[in-house]
Structures are given as C-alpha cells and as structure tokens.
Amino acid sequence: MNTTVSCHRPSSVWTVPEPFRNIYSHAVELPVGKRLLFISGQVGVAPDGRVAEDFSTQAEQAMDNVEALLVAARMTIAEVVKLTYYVTNSQNLATLGEIRRRRWSSRTPPAVTALVIAGLARSEYLIEIEAIAAAN
C-alpha cells in the first residue's frame, strides 16, 4: 500500500492476531486527491471461461483477475485499501488465509471483510473477491 495511506489498529479495538497483521487492518485512511478504483466481485473464472473445481485454484484465479484489473488501471496490489472475500464454505478460510499471506502480504495491509455465504451467482463458484484501490 502507498506510504501516504494510513492504517489504523488502535489499542481500543481488538488486537489483530500475529498471523493476520500483514493481511488485515482495522481501518485505512486515504489523503485527499487519490484516484480510486472499485473492482467488482471477481470469481475464479479463467479468461477462457474455465472454472476449476477446487477452492485453491479458484481463489488463485480470482486473485489473478483482481491483479489484471489493477494493471489495467495502472495500479498494483500494493494500492489496494479494501478487500471483501465471499466464500461458500467456512472450511476454506484457512486455505484463503495461507494464499493471502503468500500473495498479498504487506506491512500496511488493507481493510478486510471475509464472509461465509450460502452461495454465489453460480453454484460452481466457491469464492468472490471485491477490491478498492487508491493511487496518485
């Protein structure tokens, strides 16, 4: 995340556990004048329309899709200030955490919401990721 962006983790709010400190902030503050990009929910659909059957592959593809949209806007994952994850099975949350730490770890991580939901737009979708990025 850009160094002009401030992450907030006050002692008056619950302490973020160590394994999540590089992938989660309670709040992110942007200075005036930032260019904002709002990325619609990205699912694990490859450019050729394929959808993998397993969660890990779908999560990786959804992240690839988010990164491709960032590149199209001349941004990087470092400029993401908010992420929302929707997963259809709570048992996949640990795997999601591992993938996030490997791919999107940061000293100034974005604000994050992770939701376990009954389903997505198509029954084969196992994850959807929304993102907001801010750049100069």
Side-chain angles (χ1 to χ4, degrees):
M1 189 179 306
N2 190 309
T3 56
T4 61
V5 175
S6 300
C7 295
H8 297 286
R9 294 184 189 146
S11 60
S12 57
V13 179
W14 58 272
T15 302
V16 177
E18 180 60 39
F20 294 92
R21 290 185 187 156
N22 61 353
I23 59 173
Y24 174 92
S25 290
H26 284 303
V28 176
E29 181 179 352
L30 302 175
V32 174
K34 285 284 189 178
R35 185 168 57 95
L36 296 176
L37 175 68
F38 295 84
I39 297 176
S40 295
Q42 296 300 303
V43 293
V45 178
D48 65 4
R50 286 181 301 107
V51 179
E53 291 185 21
D54 67 286
F55 178 82
S56 294
T57 305
Q58 282 195 31
E60 297 275 2
Q61 183 62 61
M63 289 176 164
D64 289 348
N65 295 344
V66 168
E67 290 172 358
L69 292 163
L70 289 165
V71 168
R74 299 175 323 281
M75 295 181 176
T76 69
I77 193 64
E79 292 162 313
V80 170
V81 296
K82 174 70 170 121
L83 287 164
T84 304
Y85 297 94
Y86 302 91
V87 298
T88 59
N89 185 332
S90 63
Q91 293 179 344
N92 289 324
L93 290 172
T95 300
L96 177 59
E98 292 168 11
I99 295 169
R100 288 171 56 201
R101 277 185 278 284
R102 179 173 45 81
R103 288 190 62 161
W104 290 353
S105 182
S106 171
R107 279 189 263 175
T108 54
V112 174
T113 300
L115 302 163
V116 178
I117 59 172
L120 292 163
R122 288 177 40 187
S123 61
E124 66 266 33
Y125 296 165
L126 304 176
I127 184 170
E128 186 166 335
I129 304 170
E130 289 180 340
I132 300 172
N136 292 324

